[in-house]
Amino acid sequence: MSLELNDTLQTLVDGLTENFSDKLIEVYQSSGDTFVRVEADSILEISKYLKKKQHFVFLCDVFGNDRYTSDERFEVVYNLMNLRTQTRVFIKVRVEEENPTLESVSSVWKAAGWNEREVYDMFGVRFENHPDLRRIFMPEDFEYFPMRKEFPLLGIPGSIELPNTTPDTE
């Protein structure tokens, strides 16, 4: 990393520490990227700060992860970019397996809407105050979340009607 990038990341970490010291869990670097894990109840407040004060105006992606642990099983990761400095940061939030819920950040970045719907559809993490939280790939009445680790690789027989693959012999 260049010196400027280190300075930018240091400014980011200093700002988060100064404003949200009780909400930061860990900050680390891996493979050249910076990761900041925060308390789940602070994601909306921290998102607003990152966009307005730190200029992370581009939400590249939001994705889920099933850690398959008994504590804080699901993780939601926000991939953010500051276009001025070309700095990227990943904000991580963990939620419990029982009633996994987070505040939606779609009021901060409109692009979060589709991504949060995908995380909900695949992992079952609900996003409070989302403008249109419904399934995006699976039917609304589908009872399962296909990206959870306990979901069978071949699916659940009879859980969804599949198209007929037998060719017509007319």
Side-chain angles (χ1 to χ4, degrees):
M1 274 196 274
S2 68
L3 181 61
E4 180 183 357
L5 189 59
N6 283 333
D7 289 345
T8 302
L9 288 172
Q10 190 60 54
T11 302
L12 165 71
V13 173
D14 290 346
L16 285 171
T17 303
E18 184 179 313
N19 292 285
F20 304 99
S21 62
D22 58 330
K23 300 297 183 178
L24 293 182
I25 298 170
E26 68 178 328
V27 177
Y28 64 95
Q29 287 193 313
S30 176
S31 303
D33 289 316
T34 302
F35 296 84
V36 179
R37 193 157 70 91
V38 302
E39 296 285 350
D41 63 356
S42 66
I43 188 59
L44 183 60
E45 184 182 10
I46 288 175
S47 294
K48 289 176 182 178
Y49 169 80
L50 289 171
K51 184 175 182 182
K52 289 182 179 22
K53 302 293 186 190
Q54 296 284 342
H55 310 292
F56 283 88
V57 296
F58 182 42
L59 174 72
C60 306
D61 196 11
V62 178
F63 54 92
N65 180 25
D66 183 350
R67 300 176 53 237
Y68 207 52
T69 62
S70 58
D71 188 38
E72 297 180 320
R73 177 175 174 179
F74 299 107
E75 188 169 65
V76 177
V77 183
Y78 301 84
N79 176 359
L80 305 174
M81 188 137 192
N82 179 327
L83 298 176
R84 292 179 181 177
T85 62
Q86 298 297 301
T87 306
R88 180 182 308 273
V89 66
F90 293 88
I91 306 298
K92 296 174 130 187
V93 181
R94 292 181 182 170
V95 292
E96 298 295 333
E97 178 178 9
E98 194 68 32
N99 191 28
T101 305
L102 281 174
E103 189 69 30
S104 173
V105 298
S106 60
S107 63
V108 180
W109 297 286
K110 289 211 182 289
W114 287 94
N115 294 313
E116 288 175 345
R117 283 180 62 188
E118 180 180 9
V119 171
Y120 163 65
D121 195 12
M122 296 291 110
F123 295 95
V125 176
R126 298 194 62 79
F127 291 90
E128 298 288 321
N129 299 313
H130 188 284
D132 186 22
L133 189 64
R134 58 191 164 103
R135 298 200 91 143
I136 194 168
F137 297 117
M138 307 307 294
E140 277 298 320
D141 60 348
F142 194 66
E143 300 174 20
Y144 310 99
F145 302 103
M147 293 299 288
R148 288 187 175 186
K149 299 260 172 113
E150 76 273 2
F151 192 81
L153 289 176
L154 297 176
I156 297 173
S159 65
I160 190 169
E161 186 178 330
L162 299 174
N164 184 1
T165 57
T166 307
D168 290 335
T169 57
E170 294 179 32

